Amino acid sequence: MCRAHGGPTARHGEFTDRVFPVVLPDARIYRPQDRIGYVRYWEEQINELDEAMRSVSAANLQGFREDIDLYTEIRAQLPRPADVLRDMNTLSPELHRTSECSEIFEAVMTRLSS
């Protein structure tokens, strides 16, 4: 999802003005039941890492703590960018192949010149 999973791109506003998504056929973002799968995935990652961290000494786990904080932030932010991507007029990989990416190139150049 082009870092739309809640990371830095989605966090800094004007999300739809700064992304040019290509939705792959297996993205599964159009039905709410499918988008819940992404939420479930990040919750599982949080739980697995949290459980693993509890199985060892708490000493010197700084990098792991940042990972769990990142997973938690992604999980918290995920619904909004997923909804936006679902509603955007996204282009398919096939369209890019047949047009040699001209639509996305033109959109990027237009955005950069404004």
Side-chain angles (χ1 to χ4, degrees):
M1 279 199 282
C2 300
R3 302 259 322 152
H5 52 66
T9 302
R11 187 183 321 140
H12 294 290
E14 298 176 9
F15 177 70
T16 58
D17 292 336
R18 295 182 299 108
V19 297
F20 300 92
V22 175
V23 178
L24 301 177
D26 64 346
R28 302 183 61 122
I29 63 171
Y30 297 104
R31 292 183 36 211
Q33 298 89 332
D34 293 332
R35 291 191 311 275
I36 286 292
Y38 293 110
V39 173
R40 185 178 310 114
Y41 170 83
W42 286 107
E43 286 181 355
E44 289 170 0
Q45 296 305 302
I46 293 165
N47 291 336
E48 287 176 20
L49 182 53
D50 190 45
E51 186 176 317
M53 288 172 61
R54 281 191 247 159
S55 70
V56 298
S57 167
N60 300 316
L61 290 180
Q62 299 88 322
F64 298 106
R65 182 73 241 163
E66 283 84 8
D67 286 340
I68 205 165
D69 290 345
L70 175 62
Y71 294 175
T72 302
E73 182 179 352
I74 291 169
R75 192 292 179 218
Q77 298 295 323
L78 183 64
R80 176 70 183 129
D83 282 344
V84 171
L85 287 172
R86 179 201 63 207
D87 294 337
M88 288 179 77
N89 184 15
T90 58
L91 303 172
S92 70
E94 183 58 36
L95 181 61
H96 286 299
R97 261 192 295 284
T98 59
S99 72
E100 296 182 352
C101 297
S102 63
E103 288 87 358
I104 201 163
F105 177 77
E106 290 172 21
V108 169
M109 294 309 292
T110 299
R111 180 66 181 140
L112 289 173
S113 67
S114 61

